Amino acid sequence: MDFILDGIIKAFYLLFTFDDETYFAIKTTLYSSSISIVIALILGMPLGFCLGHYEFKGRKFLKLISDTGLAIPTVAVGLILYAILSNRGPLGNLGLLFTMKAVIIGQICLSLPIVVSLTASAIENMDKKHKLLIRSYHLKGFREILTVLYEARFSLLVVLATAYGRIVAEVGVAMMVGGNIKWHTRTITTAISLETNKGQFAMGIALAMVLIGIAFLVNLAIYQLRRFDR
């Protein structure tokens, strides 16, 4: 027990003295996750909207593929990306492996199926009264899309919070394609893994406390948004 208490005390010391290495991992995580979620929303929400709102041939198959993406382990995503970005891969000449860009690409790959599937479900499962009301307006084109998005706004914010929470807490992809390089690609989760293996619990506990805090805030946001949605 002593080493745990000692680790917690040192963790508070690292946080309150603004330890450079600790805060670099936090900054890297927030930076890469924020860019990733913006790109994933730009790409994923239109796709999810089409899957949830329109009827067309192959819609169910595409939704099945998107839903399958939710269950793929992060290490599998990391392995595929590693093969693509390595020197022997098709994109090896771009020199992306073990860079922040590779971490961001990996996080986009993880969050994109979440954004697409949950957006499609949110649009598809909208209250029938809302759907009938929107149809009664006889809106067309972009105005119809904006009206549907406005009615589903709280559910879509839940999608955002869920996807963001997923990529902030992931470790497999960041470790495999980012390389966990100090002062370059080291995130909160990869730093926790490294420091724990080294027996340096203080920084691991400090970063875990920050990660738990972020997870709590994300889940608090989801809880509050779901209350508004009811």
Side-chain angles (χ1 to χ4, degrees):
M1 286 295 292
D2 290 343
F3 77 97
I4 296 177
L5 292 174
D6 185 52
I8 292 173
I9 293 170
K10 288 182 178 176
F12 278 109
Y13 175 80
L14 290 174
L15 287 174
F16 287 111
T17 56
F18 297 98
D19 176 70
D20 289 341
E21 193 173 344
T22 303
Y23 276 87
F24 183 84
I26 296 170
K27 179 183 166 187
T28 303
T29 299
L30 295 178
Y31 173 75
S32 62
S33 301
S34 299
I35 292 178
S36 303
I37 195 65
V38 170
I39 297 174
L41 290 174
I42 292 172
L43 297 175
M45 277 204 167
L47 293 173
F49 181 86
C50 292
L51 288 177
H53 188 64
Y54 297 112
E55 291 288 342
F56 55 89
K57 191 177 181 180
R59 171 177 167 272
K60 290 184 178 177
F61 178 71
L62 292 174
K63 196 162 187 305
L64 177 63
I65 291 177
S66 177
D67 291 342
T68 303
L70 298 174
I72 297 177
T74 59
V75 289
V77 176
L79 179 63
I80 294 169
L81 282 176
Y82 184 92
I84 293 172
L85 300 178
S86 66
N87 289 334
R88 292 181 293 176
L91 299 181
N93 59 333
L94 297 178
L96 294 174
L97 194 63
F98 303 144
T99 65
M100 185 56 67
K101 291 178 182 175
V103 176
I104 292 172
I105 292 171
Q107 290 177 333
I108 292 171
C109 291
L110 283 177
S111 56
L112 195 56
I114 298 172
V115 174
V116 173
S117 290
L118 296 189
T119 299
S121 297
I123 299 298
E124 191 175 14
N125 298 323
M126 274 181 64
D127 193 318
K128 290 182 179 178
K129 292 179 181 177
H130 288 172
K131 288 184 177 179
L132 291 173
L133 183 63
I134 292 171
R135 285 173 187 166
S136 70
Y137 293 152
H138 301 293
L139 300 172
K140 298 294 181 186
F142 199 57
R143 293 184 65 190
E144 181 190 5
I145 294 172
L146 285 180
T147 306
V148 173
L149 290 176
Y150 180 77
E151 290 298 330
R153 60 192 182 282
F154 292 120
S155 297
L156 296 178
L157 287 173
V158 172
V159 174
L160 186 157
T162 304
Y164 191 76
R166 175 79 163 89
I167 57 178
V168 165
E170 83 82 25
V171 62
V173 171
M175 184 73 80
M176 295 187 75
V177 300
N180 193 24
I181 303 171
K182 189 176 181 180
W183 305 120
H184 289 283
T185 60
R186 186 166 293 171
T187 63
I188 292 177
T189 51
T190 59
I192 291 173
S193 176
L194 177 70
E195 297 301 325
T196 303
N197 288 335
K198 288 163 54 182
Q200 301 295 328
F201 293 103
M203 182 180 290
I205 291 172
L207 291 170
M209 289 165 61
V210 173
L211 195 62
I212 292 169
I214 294 173
F216 175 78
L217 291 175
V218 169
N219 281 288
L220 180 64
I222 293 173
Y223 175 77
Q224 293 294 343
L225 290 170
R226 282 181 174 157
R227 285 185 60 196
F228 284 122
D229 196 28
R230 286 172 187 167

